[in-house]
Amino acid sequence: MSEKGLSTRHRIIKAAETLVLKHGFAGTSLDDVLRETGLTKGAFFHHFKSKAELAKAIAENYAEADMKMFVDWSAQADRLSDDPYERVMIFLKLLEEFLDGLTEAPQGCVLAAYVYASGMFEPAVREYVRGRLDWWQCLYEKKFQALIDARPPAAPVTARALAEMIASIIQGAFVLGMAFKDRELMKRQSQQFRHYLDLLFRPRAAA
Amino acid sequence: MSEKGLSTRHRIIKAAETLVLKHGFAGTSLDDVLRETGLTKGAFFHHFKSKAELAKAIAENYAEADMKMFVDWSAQADRLSDDPYERVMIFLKLLEEFLDGLTEAPQGCVLAAYVYASGMFEPAVREYVRGRLDWWQCLYEKKFQALIDARPPAAPVTARALAEMIASIIQGAFVLGMAFKDRELMKRQSQQFRHYLDLLFRPRAAA
DNA sequence: TATTTAATACCGACTAGTCTGTTTGTCAAG
DNA sequence: CTTGACAAACAGACTAGTCGGTATTAAATA
């Protein structure tokens, strides 16, 4: 993997990712990817032993970048406050800030795209996708558990259920944001979820 | 369209729907569908003029059945109560009851599957999908507007935002329910959303 | 009543093109 | 003079779609 080779590999992955989110994995031919990158069959099979390996690479590339962002926001939130409630809120606001910076409607989540064509992928890739989604949910769950431990919620909720909820909201916002080409839908959803947390956990006036 | 012809057409549509939700539209070949139904090319092209027409038929078949269910629940809820809050709650409980009856993890939403491969479809089909998602959201929006008009919410929310939220939650629950093969995830999400509505709209003890 | 006519529903071989993957070859750098 | 990075022609399987044929039914007609 020389300097140039790695960048070619990465160019293939990024071009393929965009195409896969538009046409699905099966709907994206290698020729499509090669047309997009200006490369040839020879180049592709020099870097990937099969289309299936490309699928794996796209998922890994996407998921790792995604995880890094979330880990960063989490660390930043934990640095800015000691309070579990504030930590969750800051975390979500950092996400919203990021969403605000985007100039286009969402392209979609690669993991969800794979879930919606899971039959096309090797079991190992399906497992990987499931694992990343689970990791993501666990990240949230820990935050909510700290929150619930610190303050009694105003309704009987579990950390797991809240984590599932925000994960669902984000995934759903991808689908609807794409369908309606709405750049701000996901941000509104995050805000809405913060309202819920607010009602659940913010100290009442009575206190 | 004789008796038998209609049922064959319908068999093709249903088999294709299942395959499309597993492999994506491009990942589902006509041969796959014909293998599943035990039919041949001749039969297929007797009923559909192209694969694109099948795509349209799958979407319409799915969306219409879906809409009918929701209209039924809505009518039933409106019959059972005059109170906008109760109407929404009953509606959601009817949905949860239906979900409870399912014995398998969700297969996915055809509309979302199409959104995640929108580049494969004719603009008319994309428009149709968008329209059905919008219809669905409007159904909710009306209910929430009646609710907001009847009682002031405990946080500044709009009917539109709440409609977007439940739509997102359901779509996201499809994705996660499929990924984790969790039959009950969507039901838990609906319950969670009811908790939110409860905190927003249920008369406080003070009243 | 017997027979043509027509329409629907379906079969399955065939075509033209696309798909993934292979192979052989080129070229530059170390 | 070998190795990494890529080009380009090629192979074989698979794809959507076509076409000529058959079975069945029912109406029209003689």
Side-chain angles (χ1 to χ4, degrees):
Chain A
M1 306 275 174
S2 82
E3 179 60 29
K4 199 162 160 232
L6 203 129
S7 104
T8 294
R9 185 183 154 93
H10 203 250
R11 265 171 58 220
I12 292 174
I13 291 172
K14 289 307 283 182
E17 180 190 309
T18 302
L19 288 168
V20 165
L21 287 174
K22 261 187 235 172
H23 307 110
F25 183 69
T28 302
S29 72
L30 296 183
D31 285 341
D32 290 338
V33 176
L34 298 174
R35 210 172 300 127
E36 198 66 31
T37 53
L39 294 164
T40 59
K41 284 272 157 65
F44 180 86
F45 284 98
H46 177 70
H47 291 286
F48 302 91
K49 76 171 205 287
S50 67
K51 198 189 176 191
E53 196 193 303
L54 172 64
K56 201 177 133 206
I58 294 170
E60 284 170 358
N61 178 265
Y62 178 86
E64 253 145 65
D66 201 64
M67 289 200 310
K68 200 147 85 181
M69 278 195 342
F70 279 83
V71 165
D72 277 0
W73 293 332
S74 180
Q76 207 174 329
D78 289 358
R79 229 181 302 118
L80 290 168
S81 178
D82 284 336
D83 178 45
Y85 175 80
E86 285 303 324
R87 283 180 165 181
V88 171
M89 286 299 183
I90 293 168
F91 181 86
L92 288 171
K93 280 177 194 162
L94 287 170
L95 165 63
E96 288 163 35
E97 214 169 83
F98 166 76
L99 293 172
D100 234 7
L102 301 177
T103 52
E104 284 170 25
Q107 282 196 88
C109 170
V110 167
L111 303 178
Y114 279 38
V115 168
Y116 261 112
S118 59
M120 300 302 296
F121 303 101
E122 294 161 5
V125 173
R126 290 207 287 265
E127 260 301 299
Y128 179 80
V129 167
R130 204 198 54 73
R132 292 309 100 189
L133 288 171
D134 189 53
W135 175 92
W136 200 53
Q137 233 168 267
C138 288
L139 181 80
Y140 279 111
E141 188 175 350
K142 275 178 212 140
K143 293 183 181 303
F144 293 131
Q145 193 57 58
L147 181 47
I148 290 171
D149 290 345
R151 316 189 191 185
V157 297
T158 64
R160 187 74 192 164
L162 285 174
E164 279 176 359
M165 190 180 188
I166 183 63
S168 285
I169 286 174
I170 300 286
Q171 285 299 339
F174 267 119
V175 173
L176 298 177
M178 289 160 77
F180 298 126
K181 298 193 179 81
D182 187 335
R183 230 193 76 239
E184 295 174 6
L185 192 141
M186 195 175 295
K187 189 189 161 195
R188 289 202 298 279
Q189 295 308 305
S190 174
Q191 287 169 339
Q192 199 66 220
F193 183 70
R194 282 199 290 110
H195 282 146
Y196 181 37
L197 292 179
D198 190 73
L199 291 169
L200 278 173
F201 295 104
R202 195 175 48 175
R204 296 295 91 174
Chain B
M1 304 276 174
S2 81
E3 180 59 30
K4 199 163 160 231
L6 203 132
S7 104
T8 294
R9 186 182 154 93
H10 203 250
R11 264 171 61 221
I12 293 174
I13 290 172
K14 289 308 284 181
E17 179 189 309
T18 302
L19 289 168
V20 165
L21 287 173
K22 260 187 234 170
H23 306 110
F25 182 70
T28 302
S29 72
L30 296 184
D31 285 341
D32 290 338
V33 176
L34 299 174
R35 210 172 300 127
E36 198 64 31
T37 53
L39 294 164
T40 59
K41 282 271 156 67
F44 179 86
F45 284 98
H46 176 71
H47 291 285
F48 302 91
K49 75 171 205 287
S50 67
K51 198 188 175 192
E53 196 192 303
L54 172 64
K56 202 177 133 206
I58 294 169
E60 284 170 357
N61 179 264
Y62 177 86
E64 254 146 64
D66 202 64
M67 288 200 308
K68 200 146 88 181
M69 276 195 343
F70 279 84
V71 165
D72 277 0
W73 293 332
S74 180
Q76 206 173 330
D78 290 358
R79 229 182 302 119
L80 290 167
S81 178
D82 283 335
D83 179 44
Y85 174 80
E86 285 303 325
R87 283 179 166 183
V88 171
M89 286 300 184
I90 293 169
F91 181 87
L92 288 171
K93 280 177 195 163
L94 287 170
L95 165 64
E96 286 162 36
E97 215 170 82
F98 166 76
L99 294 172
D100 234 7
L102 302 176
T103 53
E104 283 172 24
Q107 282 197 84
C109 169
V110 167
L111 302 178
Y114 278 38
V115 168
Y116 261 113
S118 59
M120 298 304 295
F121 302 100
E122 295 162 5
V125 173
R126 290 207 289 264
E127 260 301 299
Y128 179 80
V129 167
R130 204 198 54 72
R132 292 309 101 189
L133 289 170
D134 189 52
W135 175 91
W136 201 52
Q137 233 169 268
C138 288
L139 182 81
Y140 279 112
E141 189 176 348
K142 274 179 214 143
K143 292 183 181 305
F144 293 132
Q145 193 57 59
L147 181 47
I148 290 172
D149 289 345
R151 315 188 191 185
V157 297
T158 63
R160 187 74 193 165
L162 285 174
E164 280 175 0
M165 190 179 187
I166 183 63
S168 284
I169 287 175
I170 299 285
Q171 285 299 340
F174 267 119
V175 173
L176 298 176
M178 287 158 77
F180 297 126
K181 298 193 180 82
D182 187 335
R183 228 193 79 239
E184 294 174 7
L185 193 141
M186 196 175 296
K187 189 188 161 194
R188 289 202 298 279
Q189 295 308 305
S190 174
Q191 287 169 339
Q192 200 65 221
F193 183 70
R194 282 198 289 112
H195 282 147
Y196 180 37
L197 292 180
D198 191 73
L199 290 170
L200 277 173
F201 294 104
R202 197 177 45 179
R204 296 295 91 172

